[in-house]
Every structure is written in structure tokens, then in C-alpha cells.
Amino acid sequence: MCLHLFIYLFTVSSLKSSAQETTMPFGNTHNQVKMNYASEQEFPDLSKHNNHMAKILTPAMYERLRSKQTPSGFTLDDVIQTGVDNPESAADNPPAAFSSESMAKMTLKRLSAQDEFPDLSQHNNHMAKFLTQDMYKALRERATPNGFTIDGVIQTGVDNPGHPFIMTVGCVAGDEETYEVFKELLDPVIEDRHGGYKPSDKHKTDINSDNLKGGDDLDPDYVLSSRVRTGRSIRGFCLPPHCSRGERRAVEKLSVEALDSLTGDLKGKYYALKNMTDAEQQQLIDDHFLFDKPVSPLLLASGMARDWPDARGIWHNDNKTFLVWVNEEDHLRVISMQKGGNMKEVFNRFCTGLTKIENLFKERGHAFMWNEHLGYVLTCPSNLGTGLRAGVHVKLPNMSKHAKFEEVLKRLRLQKRGTGGVDTAAVGGIFDISNADRLGFSEVELVQMVVDGVKLLVEMEKKLEKGQSIDDLMPAQK
Amino acid sequence: MPFGNTHNNFKLNYKVEEEFPDLSKHNNHMAKVLTKEIYGKLRDKQTPSGYTLDDVIQTGVDNPGHPFIMTVGCVAGDEESYEVFKDLLDPIISDRHGGYKPTDKHKTDLNFENLKGGDDLDPNYVLSSRVRTGRSIKGYTLPPHNSRGERRAIEKLAVEALTSLDGEFKGKYYPLKSMTDAEQEQLISDHFLFDKPVSPLLTCAGMARDWPDGRGIWHNDNKTFLVWVNEEDHLRVIAMQKGGNMREVFKRFCVGLQKIEEIFKKHNHGFMWNEHLGYILTCPSNLGTGLRGGVHVKLPKLSTHAKFEEILNRLRLQKRGTGGVDTASVGGVFDISNADRLGSSEVSQVQLVVDGVKLMVEMEKKLEKGEAIDSMIPAQK
């Protein structure tokens, strides 16, 4: 377990030997100079030492790690210096190094894991399914480099035992490193939530809307509106459950700079929540664009609503078809929507806009959080991968009452919601139908499922209207 | 520092201006006092348990104002908060507690025999009498900050202490998480049950975490002495009964409190107290005695009199609705209690209630008869 404490520190950020690195802004020259000395000559004398670092560090490990550094130039010798300088500490649990272990202990309560383990006996969420006392005992010894701990990860799941309509995740990430540092918990949660997605699986990103087939001919008599949303996190900042006001404001500032430089169809304006006029607010409500301070205890319990409405805002283009939420549940939520059934157009704008925004952020030295295993990294594990929910509001009064409705949705890999969103019921036979998956499928694949699935559902609806059977239309499991 | 707060250190990468909260729409004690200078001075500090300035003020940042009351807008996470963040908290304490200075000493007096009278408030007017306070257990951090393990340890200690009481104090503990429906119904009918806080003043300070773990209600068989465990403070201790015999209520309050304190001391966990701030509680508004002694009293005429507020002011009393702090009165019945907490003793605060309510009932009776009350208007206490 202690091996993780060192390995993660170096593996979460991209690892490059300093000898080969040319793009690092701050190379660690002195570390390179030390390479002139053999590992045995540099290895510290730990014979009088009694700390965690001294217990773990071997010459072989030192040799393997000594050439590495984090993007900010922190080296192995930096990590262990305090433990080298302090053979023994007076405290019960001497922090041996500037490692996650000491960071965790900084916020660690002195009581045992058993004393601290949450009571999950009434709970029914993904976190509660997997968190055991042994796991908790191991994970509470760690913290991410930004100081996010296991208690931060699970608080929302402890405070919210269950939800009447949905199986909630019950845990959140406070920063990009959360998914690595707490993988013992998050990997099983991700696997359970995302259809068996394994720790070794690779996620495919495809936001080339040319790859979508069809999608421009959903019947507007049935399909009232089409929408695609996703989230994006800005690398280098903590996520909404953990970020400070300064970080949140920096995310806002960057976002506004990037969005203000969009042109053409995407040209638009930013409305900061805290100095919106009444008229602007009313307009945004009428447009169904305004987001409000979260009331859901799922979000509040994770700390995402702190300092509201500071640095929160809504940007949208003049045409009102492309919308970005800043600092709500994720750094950015990007939404493309319009009336009618032309999902292809919506997805097209979505991909174009997203790609432009991503480039603008990159130009400013800030990438989106992404890796080849988890795809886009977002606050809630349920949104990993594409973070994409593509959906329509569609009239299915007959189909929705059919005995096989749920089965059909399941086979099509779609899910239904009420027209008010995730926690609502359908009104007037109109349903929000969207992709159920997020991770393990590309954006194009997910939107394709929606387009094909909704087309089929509308056909079925029309059949049922005419009193005909839909048995021969039943799809196979996608 | 043995327990550093890494994320707080990380935030120091951002300048004061970048981290300073926007308080332009705010009207609470914290917002009145906190300047960029104070923020800059205190933001790299933390208590031994890792509580930081941002933790102290979060509730005040998230809650700009309250329609009825001037809120405090900050909380303590542990005993040391009041010391480490004194540059912020001292002025707030002074503003909230009538000019109380950092050098002032607070007097504790829980000797009920020092109360004069209080056993003859007219029960036709005074429907019920109640005294409550809070206590924090030394060695544990406070509700905004404590962990599940600490909260459970407090509960365990509290239950041990309370179940050892006897005589009129013999009673039973009802943990929130394993309460039966029948028990819950009964506790609601008795007006004893407290529920998960919904007020954002409390939830934003983190006090509702892990609900209902470690929370519960203890009361004696007679239903006249009640302890809340791990709500807004480690302990809330309440003595109450119908009618106007505040003396009896206060006696039971003092005796019960002192018995409980003895038991905690035996376990090497006394109550948090010091000679400057008296009893240390989560909210700075409850420092000193933490005591609210009050009655539900019928004052339909007096309450509509032009001088009602002035009289309350002079008597150092405050009014609330019968539903508690955020409510309006119903049917002319008011909750009248002491306004002060810090700088005067328990006995003197209850004395103010006893004397003040007695006077107001006399005024009410006069007004009923159509007589003037001008000659009875009190001097400023």
C-alpha cells in the first residue's frame, strides 16, 4: 500500500525522464547533475531511521525513481528530504515525507478506522455497495496532492442513503488525481456503474460529427426538441467539491476569455450569476437556460454550492443554440440544443463548438482533463468517458404505456426521464429519451444510439396509434 | 504544526484578492468585520486540528443575510478557533455581545439559590417556562468540523453520563438512527424531537454531515429535563415544564447540569470553558452562558402597544414566535427570553427574565383594564 504513496505522486501527471524532457517549463537541472553520481553514491543512509519512508525506500526503488520529476519539478529527493533529515519524530505517527501519507495525516483524525467508518446499513448507492472497513482503513491514509481525502470523496454518499428514482453514485472527485489515489473504491464503482468497465479498458473519444449517420430526419411532430450536453474539467484546478474561490474565479476568467473569442454562429455573451439584472434573469428563465443554486442534497453534501453565486455564470450564443454553464456541477457544462428533431445539426454544433473551446483553452496553456482510460474526467464518476447525454423530448403516449417499453429502452441502451430532467416524471406522454451510457463508447456511438433508437421508438408509436402490433419491430440488445 | 491543511496551503498560491469572498451583498457580523487585511493575515493559519479561516467563514459567505435576525456568519470548529482567529472573532464578539472586550472576564454562576423569586409567575399568562444551554466536550472538535469517530465518542460519553443519573433525572436515550416510529411520534408530541437541520445557516457550516449518525435525544422519565446530543453543539441541555415556575425549572437545570459536568470530568473530558469567553460553543452568539431562559406568555395587548419593543429593549429581553427563532407569534402568545449570553451570569440572565416577565404580565393586566402603563415603563437594565 505504501508503494502507492510514491508511485501515484509520479504517475498521475505525465512522467518523463528529465534527461529527455524539453517541453517542461521548469526542468530540474540539479537533479540532472546528480545523475552523474551512481545511485549507490546518492542513496541516503537510513540505518538510524525509523519512519515510513525509511521502511519502504530501497536502493532499487531509488534508482528507478531518481530521474523522474513531476511537471512542477518536484523530485524524489524533494519527496524524501524531510524523512532523511528526521530519523525519528516525537509524534505517534511521524509523517515521513512530503507524501500523501503525511498529507492525509494532516487532516486525519486520531481515532481508528473502525471508529470513523460510516454507518452504511441504510444505504443504497454505488459507494455503499463497495466501501468496506478494510478499504476505508487503507484509503484514509492517503490524500491527493491537493489534499482531497476519502471522507471528501464519500461524504455525499454518507449523507444521502438513497434516491427514490435512481441508483446514485454516492461519491465525487475533488480533483483529477482522486480517480488514481482512491482507485480501490472508484474502480469498482466505475465498473458497476458503467456496465462492467474494467480498470484496464481504454475509452475512445470521437467528436467528429461527420461520423454520425443520419439524425437529421427525426419526425418533428413527435420529436419536439433535441439536445446534447457534456462536461469538461480544466486541468490544473480542483473540481467543484474541493476548489477554492480563487480557483473557481480563475476557471471563470479563463472560460470567459475563451468563450468571448468565439465568432460566427457561436458568437455570444456571458452572464455572471452574481450581477445579472432582473431582465436578464427573466429572459434566461424563459429560454430554459438559467441554472440555479443546487438544492439537491446530493450536490450540496459534496460542497459544490459553496460561495454561491461567486464565479458562476451562463454563456450562450446570440442564436441561443449553444450554451455553457460555468462552475455548476463541473467546471464547464456545454450544451447544444434546438427545437425539432435535427439531432445531426445539434451534434454538429456541439462538436464544432467544443473543439473550438478546447483549442482556445489549450492556447492559454490549459487542457481539459482527459486520459485514455477514463476519457474526460468529471466530478461525478457517472459522467466519465464522454460525459455526454444526448436526448430528445419526444411524444410517446402509446409507446410509454406498452408493456415492453422498459425492455425496448434497455435494449436500445436508452433511458427515460421526465421533461423536467433527472428527478422528474413525464408530463402529457412526453419523455426525455437519452443515451444511458457514458464510458466505453464514443460520443458518435452514443448519439448514433439515440438517433437510431428514437427513430425506432417513433415508428413504434405510429404503429401503436394505428392499433398495430410492434412485436416485429422489437430490437436486439445493442 | 502536526496537522497541516494541505489544501489551505495550496490556496496560498492565489493572492488575497483572488480568494477574498465577495461580501458586497452581505449583512451579517462576519461580513461587517472581515477585511482583506484580516483575511490576508489569517488565511495561512490553522488550529491544531486543521480548521482554517475559510472554514470559519463559509456559512457567512454562503448566507448573505436573514430576514429576521442579524446572523453571526461564522462558527468555531474547535476550542482553539477562538484564539487562532481572534483578529476576526474578537470584533464580532464585541459587536454581538454589547461591546464585550477581549480583556473582559465572564462570570459563571449556576447556583440556583442566588435567583430571587421566579416561582410565582401567573400561570394564566405564563404558559410554560424553559431554560436551555449548550456544552462542548473538551478534547473533541465541534460539530462543523468533527469526524464520525469523534461524534460517536461524544455520544458514547454523553450516554454513559446521562444513564448514570438517578432520582428526578433518571431517564433514557433515543438515538436518532434507531428510533422506532412509536418513539418518534411520542417525541414529536412532547415537542422534544429535533430533526436534521434544514437551515442553510447550519448546513453550510457542515453540521449536518453524516446525519443521523451519532445524534440522539435523552430525556428523564418526568419529561422535564432533556439533552440533545450532537445537534448544533455537542450537548444542548434543556429544562422545561408547563406554567410559570421558572425557579423550579432553573433549579433542575442547574442541578442536572452540574451532575452531568461531574461525570464528564471524571472521564477527563470536562466542558470547554475559559474565564474570558465562559462556555465555548459552536456559534459565537452562544458564548458565555449559552443560556436562553424563556417563557411562552400571553401578551396580546402589550405586544400591540407602541412601546413593546422599547420595553423589551430596556429589560434586555427578546421576543420570538412560539415556533422558535425563525417564527412569528400566534394568538398573542410570545416566546420571551434573555437577549444576553456573554458578560453576565446564568443567575443574572434568568433574573432578568423572571423580573421582566413579571412586569410585563402586570402591564398586560393593566392594559386589559384599560389603564395606562406609562408609570411602569422600566429603566434600562
Side-chain angles (χ1 to χ4, degrees):
Chain A
M1 180 268 285
C2 288
L3 224 58
H4 284 293
L5 303 176
F6 291 98
I7 304 291
Y8 93 84
L9 193 65
F10 294 95
T11 55
V12 254
S13 33
S14 50
L15 275 184
K16 293 176 170 45
S17 155
S18 56
Q20 286 142 8
E21 184 52 58
T22 53
T23 59
M24 295 256 201
F26 310 107
N28 194 309
T29 315
H30 189 236
N31 201 48
Q32 294 179 25
V33 167
K34 283 189 250 176
M35 296 304 157
N36 293 328
Y37 294 84
S39 183
E40 302 78 19
Q41 290 172 293
E42 287 292 336
F43 190 75
D45 178 2
L46 302 173
S47 53
K48 305 270 191 323
H49 287 60
N50 180 30
N51 57 48
H52 288 284
M53 179 277 290
K55 283 170 73 175
I56 298 293
L57 185 68
T58 62
M61 193 187 293
Y62 184 81
E63 181 160 18
R64 198 174 71 237
L65 296 178
R66 69 195 286 252
S67 61
K68 307 209 183 300
Q69 61 188 335
T70 70
S72 73
F74 209 72
T75 66
L76 179 62
D77 281 333
D78 294 327
V79 173
I80 67 172
Q81 190 63 56
T82 175
V84 175
D85 290 341
N86 298 287
E88 256 175 321
S89 170
D92 288 345
N93 293 299
F98 185 67
S99 67
S100 80
E101 185 179 294
S102 58
M103 287 183 224
K105 285 187 162 61
M106 291 177 204
T107 50
L108 194 65
K109 306 297 177 179
R110 290 153 288 147
L111 301 168
S112 72
Q114 185 174 11
D115 288 333
E116 293 291 354
F117 189 66
D119 178 350
L120 300 173
S121 53
Q122 310 294 323
H123 288 59
N124 181 35
N125 56 50
H126 287 289
M127 180 276 291
K129 279 176 79 172
F130 294 104
L131 186 70
T132 63
Q133 197 168 296
D134 282 340
M135 194 190 285
Y136 182 73
K137 187 172 178 186
L139 294 181
R140 73 197 285 257
E141 300 291 324
R142 308 181 198 162
T144 69
N146 303 311
F148 200 59
T149 63
I150 187 64
D151 282 336
V153 174
I154 66 173
Q155 192 66 56
T156 179
V158 175
D159 289 346
N160 297 288
H163 189 281
F165 300 151
I166 55 183
M167 174 70 152
T168 48
V169 177
C171 52
V172 291
D175 51 23
E176 189 166 10
E177 294 84 348
T178 298
Y179 288 101
E180 188 58 37
V181 175
F182 301 109
K183 62 196 331 314
E184 282 89 335
L185 172 64
L186 294 174
D187 278 350
V189 167
I190 287 167
E191 186 163 350
D192 198 32
R193 179 61 175 213
H194 294 283
Y197 194 77
K198 294 190 297 300
S200 50
D201 284 340
K202 301 276 178 270
H203 172 80
K204 186 173 155 216
T205 291
D206 180 2
I207 33 178
N208 183 350
S209 59
D210 289 340
N211 292 338
L212 182 71
K213 301 188 198 37
D216 52 356
D217 61 349
L218 296 172
D219 187 342
D221 287 338
Y222 292 82
V223 181
L224 308 176
S225 60
S226 306
R227 179 183 187 266
V228 182
R229 69 87 157 151
T230 189
R232 290 291 185 265
S233 307
I234 320 294
R235 186 161 277 163
F237 299 102
C238 294
L239 297 173
H242 195 48
C243 67
S244 70
R245 281 181 295 274
E247 286 183 284
R248 208 184 290 113
R249 291 164 180 172
V251 166
E252 184 191 37
K253 187 161 180 289
L254 261 175
S255 303
V256 173
E257 270 181 40
L259 295 166
D260 276 350
S261 67
L262 292 171
T263 59
D265 175 44
L266 297 174
K267 185 172 172 325
K269 185 176 163 182
Y270 182 69
Y271 301 85
L273 247 56
K274 75 173 168 184
N275 48 31
M276 209 173 270
T277 67
D278 285 347
E280 286 168 341
Q281 184 170 302
Q282 195 51 56
Q283 187 60 55
L284 287 165
I285 289 173
D286 294 339
D287 292 328
H288 304 288
F289 283 176
L290 186 65
F291 68 90
D292 213 345
K293 181 171 181 176
V295 294
S296 166
L298 301 177
L299 299 183
L300 296 176
S302 69
M304 290 186 227
R306 286 170 302 125
D307 314 309
W308 203 275
D310 199 312
R312 273 82 167 192
I314 292 162
W315 178 97
H316 70 76
N317 65 350
D318 297 336
N319 296 340
K320 295 186 183 178
T321 52
F322 193 74
L323 167 66
V324 178
W325 289 352
V326 178
N327 286 319
E328 195 236 10
E329 185 185 332
D330 285 292
H331 288 164
L332 304 176
R333 282 289 176 97
V334 179
I335 301 153
S336 172
M337 61 202 252
Q338 68 192 42
K339 293 231 181 293
N342 195 343
M343 181 61 94
K344 184 154 182 87
E345 196 169 80
V346 171
F347 187 53
N348 209 9
R349 187 179 310 108
F350 176 82
C351 294
T352 307
L354 249 187
T355 309
K356 289 204 156 107
I357 295 172
E358 181 157 18
N359 288 333
L360 290 165
F361 271 95
K362 277 189 185 152
E363 276 167 29
R364 288 157 177 77
H366 285 277
F368 290 150
M369 290 183 197
W370 181 94
N371 65 60
E372 59 172 11
H373 167 50
L374 296 177
Y376 288 101
V377 176
L378 294 175
T379 303
C380 182
S382 70
N383 280 321
L384 291 166
T386 61
L388 185 141
R389 193 171 91 82
V392 297
H393 282 186
V394 55
K395 287 195 231 180
L396 298 172
N398 291 297
M399 187 61 210
S400 57
K401 295 203 207 71
H402 193 281
K404 294 220 155 75
F405 185 44
E406 299 287 347
E407 175 67 24
V408 170
L409 287 175
K410 209 160 169 296
R411 292 189 187 192
L412 294 174
R413 307 194 72 88
L414 299 176
Q415 71 174 200
K416 72 183 197 298
R417 299 181 182 189
T419 46
V422 66
D423 289 346
T424 65
V427 174
I430 300 175
F431 284 81
D432 176 318
I433 303 291
S434 63
N435 53 296
D437 304 302
R438 302 274 183 274
L439 177 63
F441 298 89
S442 75
E443 289 81 353
V444 166
E445 284 168 345
L446 294 177
V447 178
Q448 193 70 63
M449 280 184 228
V450 174
V451 153
D452 297 346
V454 169
K455 192 162 189 182
L456 178 63
L457 286 168
V458 169
E459 278 181 46
M460 286 173 154
E461 178 71 21
K462 287 173 173 173
K463 282 237 164 182
L464 290 171
E465 272 174 24
K466 294 190 217 136
Q468 294 167 8
S469 151
I470 54 164
D471 293 339
D472 54 333
L473 290 178
M474 289 294 287
Q477 176 66 53
K478 291 205 173 293
Chain B
M1 286 275 193
F3 306 107
N5 189 313
T6 312
H7 191 238
N8 198 50
N9 293 340
F10 181 77
K11 281 186 251 178
L12 297 175
N13 292 328
Y14 291 83
K15 300 202 285 282
V16 170
E17 298 76 33
E18 287 165 342
E19 287 292 348
F20 190 72
D22 179 351
L23 301 173
S24 53
K25 306 262 192 323
H26 289 60
N27 182 35
N28 56 48
H29 284 290
M30 180 278 290
K32 280 175 73 175
V33 172
L34 185 68
T35 60
K36 287 204 176 112
E37 288 68 39
I38 294 176
Y39 188 79
K41 187 167 171 209
L42 296 180
R43 73 183 188 125
D44 62 345
K45 310 231 175 308
Q46 56 195 330
T47 66
S49 73
Y51 206 63
T52 67
L53 180 64
D54 279 338
D55 294 328
V56 171
I57 66 174
Q58 190 66 55
T59 178
V61 176
D62 289 344
N63 297 288
H66 189 282
F68 299 152
I69 54 181
M70 173 71 150
T71 49
V72 177
C74 54
V75 290
D78 51 22
E79 191 166 6
E80 294 84 350
S81 295
Y82 287 104
E83 188 56 40
V84 173
F85 302 109
K86 62 194 329 316
D87 288 339
L88 171 67
L89 295 174
D90 279 352
I92 289 175
I93 287 167
S94 180
D95 198 25
R96 178 62 175 213
H97 294 284
Y100 195 77
K101 295 189 295 298
T103 48
D104 285 338
K105 300 275 177 273
H106 171 80
K107 185 169 162 226
T108 291
D109 181 2
L110 286 165
N111 186 348
F112 64 91
E113 288 178 7
N114 293 339
L115 183 71
K116 299 187 196 43
D119 52 355
D120 59 351
L121 298 173
D122 187 342
N124 290 319
Y125 293 82
V126 180
L127 308 177
S128 59
S129 306
R130 180 183 186 268
V131 181
R132 70 86 160 150
T133 190
R135 290 291 184 264
S136 307
I137 319 294
K138 225 172 157 58
Y140 296 103
T141 61
L142 298 173
H145 191 45
N146 62 15
S147 68
R148 284 179 294 272
E150 290 188 287
R151 211 182 289 114
R152 290 162 181 171
I154 290 161
E155 183 189 38
K156 188 160 180 281
L157 258 177
V159 173
E160 267 182 47
L162 295 166
T163 47
S164 71
L165 295 174
D166 58 4
E168 72 165 321
F169 295 105
K170 186 170 174 326
K172 185 177 165 184
Y173 182 67
Y174 302 85
L176 249 56
K177 73 173 168 185
S178 53
M179 208 173 270
T180 66
D181 285 345
E183 287 168 341
Q184 185 170 303
E185 277 309 307
Q186 187 59 55
L187 287 166
I188 290 173
S189 313
D190 292 330
H191 304 287
F192 283 176
L193 187 64
F194 66 92
D195 212 346
K196 179 171 181 176
V198 294
S199 166
L201 300 178
L202 300 182
T203 54
C204 291
M207 291 187 227
R209 286 170 302 127
D210 314 310
W211 203 274
D213 198 315
R215 275 84 169 192
I217 292 163
W218 178 96
H219 70 78
N220 65 350
D221 297 337
N222 297 339
K223 296 186 183 177
T224 52
F225 193 73
L226 165 68
V227 178
W228 289 353
V229 179
N230 285 319
E231 196 236 11
E232 185 184 330
D233 284 293
H234 289 166
L235 304 176
R236 283 285 175 100
V237 179
I238 301 152
M240 61 201 249
Q241 66 192 41
K242 292 234 180 289
N245 196 342
M246 180 61 95
R247 188 180 183 79
E248 196 169 81
V249 171
F250 188 55
K251 176 179 174 179
R252 185 177 313 112
F253 175 82
C254 293
V255 171
L257 249 186
Q258 277 159 336
K259 280 188 200 283
I260 296 171
E261 181 157 18
E262 281 311 306
I263 302 170
F264 273 97
K265 275 191 186 152
K266 278 207 202 102
H267 286 88
N268 289 319
H269 282 284
F271 293 149
M272 289 183 199
W273 181 94
N274 69 51
E275 61 171 8
H276 168 52
L277 296 177
Y279 288 101
I280 303 287
L281 294 177
T282 304
C283 182
S285 70
N286 281 321
L287 291 165
T289 61
L291 185 143
R292 195 171 90 82
V295 298
H296 282 188
V297 57
K298 286 196 237 183
L299 299 172
K301 299 215 157 356
L302 183 57
S303 59
T304 49
H305 193 283
K307 292 218 158 72
F308 185 45
E309 297 289 347
E310 173 69 21
I311 291 165
L312 286 172
N313 222 308
R314 292 190 187 197
L315 293 175
R316 307 194 72 84
L317 299 176
Q318 71 174 200
K319 73 181 197 300
R320 298 179 182 193
T322 47
V325 66
D326 288 349
T327 66
S329 90
V330 175
V333 179
F334 284 82
D335 177 318
I336 304 290
S337 63
N338 54 297
D340 305 310
R341 303 275 184 273
L342 178 64
S344 52
S345 73
E346 288 82 353
V347 166
S348 61
Q349 287 169 7
V350 176
Q351 193 70 64
L352 285 168
V353 175
V354 153
D355 296 347
V357 169
K358 193 164 187 181
L359 178 64
M360 288 196 292
V361 169
E362 282 174 30
M363 287 173 158
E364 179 69 21
K365 287 173 174 172
K366 282 240 167 180
L367 291 171
E368 273 174 23
K369 294 192 220 133
E371 294 168 13
I373 55 166
D374 296 335
S375 57
M376 296 168 77
I377 305 275
Q380 175 68 54
K381 293 209 170 288

